[in-house]
Amino acid sequence: MQASQRPQMSGSVHGMYNQPMQQVEQYYAPYHVFKNSCNDSRSSGTQFSFQAQSEQFFTLDSLPATDCVVYDSPPALSPFSPQCSQSYMSDMHHSSDNTCCSPFSDCSGVDDGDLRHVLQKLENKLLGPESDTDNSCSCNFNNVVSKSSSLTRWNRVLDMAPGLNLKELLNACAEAVSDADISTAEVLMNVLEQRVSVTGEPMERLGAYVLEGLRARLLSSGSIIYKKLKCKEPTSSELLSYMQVIYNMCPHYKFAYISANVVIREAMMNENRIHIIDFQIAQGSQWMFLLQDLARRPGGPPFVRITGVDDSESAYARDGGLQLVGERLAEVARSCGVPFEFHAAALSGCEVHLENLEVRHGEVLAVNFPFMLHHMPDESVSTINHRDRLLRLVKSLSPKIVTLVEQESNTNTAPFLPRFRETLDYYTAMFESIDAARPRDDKERISAEEHCVARDVVNIIACEGADRVERHELFGKWRLRLMMAGFTPCPLSPSVGETIKDMLKEYSPNYRFAESEGALYLGWKNRALATSSAWR
C-alpha cells in the first residue's frame, strides 16, 4: 500500500502479567483495529462517561517496513487477522444501530447531519449563495457538482478544498464514491493525496489509509489489494516486531487476555483437569501467564490441555505454525511444573466441527473467543451462518465458562456510507490514542500501523460480501446473539475490574474503563473501543 508520506500541508498490571518470560523465546501476535472518534456523539459506536485512569500517554503509528525493535512483553491476541467474516439477525442489523445496542449507545443510528452540512458548504461554494438549488437535494454531492458549469466545476472543487478540514473532504469523497461519481471522486482524491501523511496528525495518518480504501472501492479492487497486502507481509520475525510495537503502545491486547485469564482462572479454581479451547490462539502468549499463575495454585497445579484453533495459512501461525506454538507452551508448562497437553486445530472458525475439538470426558471446559467472532459470516453473507453455528456448537459442549472480547463498533451489515463514517470515527479514536505514545516520525510506529492496521481499514471500506471479513457488532448485538444460542451472562467478580484498572495505570489517563450489564468496556476518552464479557 502506497500511503502518502508527504508532511501535512494544512496546518500496574496484575503481578503475573508483569513477569519477564525468560524461559521461552518472545513471540507476539497481532490485535485488531478499533474504530471511532470520541467527539461525534452521532456515531453508531458507544459513547459514555468512563472512569479516568491516571498515567502517561501511549501511542500507535505506522510507515513502510523498516527495522523494528522487539520488546519485552509479548502481545497475546490477533484481532488483525481475518478468519472468515460476518454477522447475524439481518433485519436488525440493516437498521444500523436500532436494536441490541450497547448499554451506553444512544441507539439512534448514524446521523447524516455532518455530511449534509459539509455538502451544503460545497454547494454554496460551487454555485454561490444566490443559488436557487433546492436545499433538499444538498445532501447529494453528485447533484451539486452536476449543476455547476462543466468547464469550471473541477477548478471550483479545488478552490474550495482548502477551506474544508480533512474529515469533511474524506466524507465528501466517500459520498462521491458511493454515487459512483468517478470524476468528482478522482478530483477529491487528488486533493486528499496532498493532505494525508503517515507521519502527520492522527487524522492525516488515518486519512492516508482511508484514501487507499476509497480508491480501491472506486476501482472495485478492494479484495485484490487486501490479498496483496496479506501476501506482502514481512517475514515472521518482522511481523512479530510490529505486533510488539503495538502491544507496548496500546492496552487493547492486555485488556483482552488479562480479563479472559482472570475469569478463566477464577472459574477453574477448584478443577483438577482443565481443557481450554482458544479460537484464535495466534502465538499462544496469553496462556503462558495463565500457566504460570496456575502453577502457584494452593494444593498444586491442575492438568491443563489447550486446543489452539487458527487458520493454517494465518500469518500469525507461521514460522513453525501451531505445532511450534504448542512446543513453546509445553516448555513454559514444564518450567512451571504444570501437567500439560496441546492439541492443534489448524482450521478457520468456519471449518471447525465437533470432531476437531477433541473434547474429553472428565475435563472441565473453558472457551475463549478473542476478537475472532466478527470474522465469522452470518446469514447476511452465507446461508450456513457460521457465526451462530459456532456459538451453538460451543454451547452443546456445556462449557463452564466462555470469554468473549470484541471491538465495540458497528460495521457488519451497515450500508457503505454509515459504515464509512463509523470506521472513520472508530479509527480516529484509535489513532489519537496511538499519537500519545510515540513521536509521529517514529518508523517503528509507522510500520506497525501500515502492516497491522491499514489492511483492516481497506477491507472495511473497499470490500463487500464474502470479501469483507471485518464485520464488527456492538455488545448489545453480541449479547442477543449469545442468549439466542442458549448462553446466560456470567457476573464478573470485582477482581477482574481491579486487575484491568491496575493495568491501565501504565497508560494515558485518556484511556477509560467502565462496567455495565455484565460487560467491561475499554475506551479512549468518551468512545468505547472494546468489550469483554463472560458466559456460561
Side-chain angles (χ1 to χ4, degrees), residues 248-274:
N248 280 272
M249 289 190 294
C250 300
H252 311 101
Y253 311 88
K254 289 182 179 180
F255 172 76
Y257 76 70
I258 289 178
S259 59
N261 278 12
V262 174
V263 168
I264 292 173
R265 184 193 68 207
E266 292 183 348
M268 300 297 180
M269 189 175 300
N270 299 314
E271 305 297 343
N272 294 321
R273 297 186 66 83
I274 301 170

Side-chain angles (χ1 to χ4, degrees), residues 171-307:
N171 274 308
C173 188
E175 173 84 5
V177 171
S178 179
D179 290 343
D181 186 346
I182 297 176
S183 298
T184 301
E186 286 179 345
V187 171
L188 290 172
M189 286 178 182
N190 288 335
V191 175
L192 284 165
E193 185 68 30
Q194 308 304 313
R195 298 276 294 272
V196 300
S197 168
V198 296
T199 61
E201 297 177 356
M203 182 57 72
E204 292 172 333
R205 302 200 316 268
L206 173 57
Y209 304 125
V210 170
L211 176 58
E212 291 301 318
L214 289 172
R215 187 174 282 131
R217 185 178 184 89
L218 188 65
L219 299 175
S220 300
S221 61
S223 179
I224 296 173
I225 292 178
Y226 181 76
K227 291 175 181 177
K228 284 184 177 179
L229 283 171
K230 185 175 182 181
C231 293
K232 291 182 179 179
E233 282 172 349
T235 63
S236 180
S237 60
E238 289 173 327
L239 180 64
L240 297 182
S241 297
Y242 302 151
M243 294 305 105
Q244 184 60 38
V245 170
I246 294 175
Y247 175 84
N248 280 272
M249 289 190 294
C250 300
H252 311 101
Y253 311 88
K254 289 182 179 180
F255 172 76
Y257 76 70
I258 289 178
S259 59
N261 278 12
V262 174
V263 168
I264 292 173
R265 184 193 68 207
E266 292 183 348
M268 300 297 180
M269 189 175 300
N270 299 314
E271 305 297 343
N272 294 321
R273 297 186 66 83
I274 301 170
H275 180 194
I276 299 171
I277 300 176
D278 188 343
F279 274 94
Q280 188 168 295
I281 195 165
Q283 298 296 321
S285 306
Q286 171 178 357
W287 308 116
M288 300 177 191
F289 301 107
L290 182 62
L291 289 170
Q292 290 178 324
D293 195 53
L294 291 173
R296 297 188 291 269
R297 197 171 76 171
F303 168 82
V304 179
R305 188 161 66 94
I306 294 179
T307 292

Side-chain angles (χ1 to χ4, degrees), residues 14 111 121 134 137 258 287 320 413 439 476 494:
H14 188 283
D111 193 338
K121 289 169 64 177
D134 184 355
C137 298
I258 289 178
W287 308 116
T413 58

Side-chain angles (χ1 to χ4, degrees), residues 244-509:
Q244 184 60 38
V245 170
I246 294 175
Y247 175 84
N248 280 272
M249 289 190 294
C250 300
H252 311 101
Y253 311 88
K254 289 182 179 180
F255 172 76
Y257 76 70
I258 289 178
S259 59
N261 278 12
V262 174
V263 168
I264 292 173
R265 184 193 68 207
E266 292 183 348
M268 300 297 180
M269 189 175 300
N270 299 314
E271 305 297 343
N272 294 321
R273 297 186 66 83
I274 301 170
H275 180 194
I276 299 171
I277 300 176
D278 188 343
F279 274 94
Q280 188 168 295
I281 195 165
Q283 298 296 321
S285 306
Q286 171 178 357
W287 308 116
M288 300 177 191
F289 301 107
L290 182 62
L291 289 170
Q292 290 178 324
D293 195 53
L294 291 173
R296 297 188 291 269
R297 197 171 76 171
F303 168 82
V304 179
R305 188 161 66 94
I306 294 179
T307 292
V309 180
D310 204 354
D311 188 340
S312 60
E313 296 181 359
S314 170
Y316 313 112
R318 290 179 303 180
D319 193 22
L322 287 176
Q323 188 59 41
L324 183 57
V325 172
E327 291 173 4
R328 289 167 169 170
L329 288 174
E331 176 61 29
V332 173
R334 278 193 296 272
S335 69
C336 297
V338 176
F340 179 78
E341 183 179 327
F342 182 80
H343 168 58
L347 305 162
S348 74
C350 297
E351 301 170 308
V352 171
H353 294 278
L354 177 60
E355 57 270 22
N356 304 123
L357 302 176
E358 292 193 3
V359 177
R360 298 174 186 171
H361 180 71
E363 294 178 346
V364 182
L365 183 63
V367 176
N368 187 41
F369 287 116
F371 299 104
M372 67 79 58
L373 276 179
H374 72 270
H375 290 140
M376 301 289 290
D378 71 350
E379 76 282 357
S380 66
V381 179
S382 167
T383 56
I384 301 176
N385 190 358
H386 288 290
R387 189 172 294 199
D388 291 338
R389 179 192 67 81
L390 187 60
L391 285 176
R392 289 193 297 268
L393 171 61
V394 169
K395 179 59 181 175
S396 72
L397 304 178
S398 300
K400 184 170 186 179
I401 195 70
V402 173
T403 53
L404 172 71
V405 183
E406 279 291 346
Q407 290 88 336
E408 182 68 357
S409 186
N410 181 41
T411 63
N412 182 20
T413 58
F416 169 66
L417 283 177
R419 184 171 81 240
F420 176 85
R421 290 190 287 270
E422 167 76 343
T423 300
L424 191 61
D425 285 342
Y426 186 94
Y427 281 98
T428 296
M430 183 177 186
F431 274 70
E432 285 179 355
S433 69
I434 289 169
D435 204 52
R438 287 205 177 193
R440 290 176 181 171
D441 60 352
D442 188 302
K443 292 184 178 180
E444 293 173 354
R445 175 199 62 75
I446 296 170
S447 294
E449 283 180 347
E450 182 181 27
H451 290 284
C452 305
V453 180
R455 187 178 63 185
D456 292 342
V457 173
V458 169
N459 185 258
I460 296 170
I461 293 174
C463 298
E464 296 293 350
D467 288 332
R468 182 157 60 86
V469 299
E470 302 300 328
R471 295 176 172 271
H472 308 103
E473 294 182 316
L474 301 175
F475 175 71
K477 296 180 180 179
W478 287 118
R479 189 173 189 274
L480 177 62
R481 187 184 301 283
L482 284 154
M483 294 179 71
M484 291 184 67
F487 290 97
T488 57
C490 181
L492 300 173
S493 72
S495 63
V496 182
E498 290 303 316
T499 304
I500 297 299
K501 290 178 184 178
D502 246 4
M503 179 268 291
L504 288 179
K505 292 177 181 178
E506 300 178 3
Y507 297 90
S508 163

